[in-house]
Amino acid sequence: MKTIGLIGGMSWEGTATYYRIINETVQKELGGYNSAKIILNSVNFAEIETCRSQGDWDKAGQIISEAAVSLEKAGADFILIASNTMHKVVPMIQPHISLPILHIAKATLMTLKEKNIKKNELS
């Protein structure tokens, strides 16, 4: 099992949802007492929200990059950002780490394509 480097805190409630769903999925797939191997770095949402509201995406990218670097050093195999909006800074993060960043939108798109679900079917 690979270790997920989860960047959370945007908001903590959203992070808790990601954590729960990831573990429910692992338990469903593997059964028994299995749970996900996760290293969590929870950033301070107030700092991220200030950056977002001021349009300071460079600073937001720096904060998320530092979190990603710490997760790589801690032994994560890949990074998952527990926020759709913050995927905007992925191009700023990737040069600082050698790990892949799983983009939730790309994973969602792959699932929709696999199930042959079209836009007009989502309304």
Side-chain angles (χ1 to χ4, degrees):
M1 180 182 302
K2 297 204 180 275
T3 300
I4 301 167
L6 182 62
I7 301 175
M10 304 156 284
S11 66
W12 70 263
E13 297 95 343
T15 302
T17 300
Y18 271 77
Y19 185 84
R20 179 181 50 78
I21 291 170
I22 291 167
N23 278 292
E24 286 174 349
T25 302
V26 168
Q27 188 173 44
K28 180 182 173 186
E29 293 296 319
L30 300 179
Y33 296 107
N34 284 290
S35 59
K37 292 171 61 178
I38 298 174
I39 303 168
L40 173 64
N41 186 319
S42 184
V43 300
N44 181 355
F45 186 45
E47 294 174 9
I48 297 296
E49 179 53 27
T50 298
C51 293
R52 189 204 59 79
S53 66
Q54 294 175 354
D56 191 352
W57 293 105
D58 288 338
K59 177 67 174 168
Q62 179 185 355
I63 293 167
I64 302 301
S65 291
E66 290 169 4
V69 167
S70 73
L71 291 169
E72 182 171 40
K73 288 179 181 176
D77 293 304
F78 64 94
I79 302 293
L80 177 64
I81 302 171
S83 165
N84 291 336
T85 302
M86 294 312 296
H87 282 83
K88 181 174 184 155
V89 300
V90 166
M92 296 177 219
I93 301 167
Q94 201 66 73
H96 301 283
I97 59 172
S98 61
L99 301 178
I101 300 172
L102 178 64
H103 195 304
I104 194 68
K106 288 181 183 176
T108 302
L109 180 61
M110 284 179 18
T111 300
L112 291 172
K113 284 183 176 180
E114 286 172 7
K115 296 181 184 256
N116 200 28
I117 297 173
K118 305 287 186 225
K119 182 179 177 181
N120 60 349
E121 296 172 6
L122 297 174
S123 316

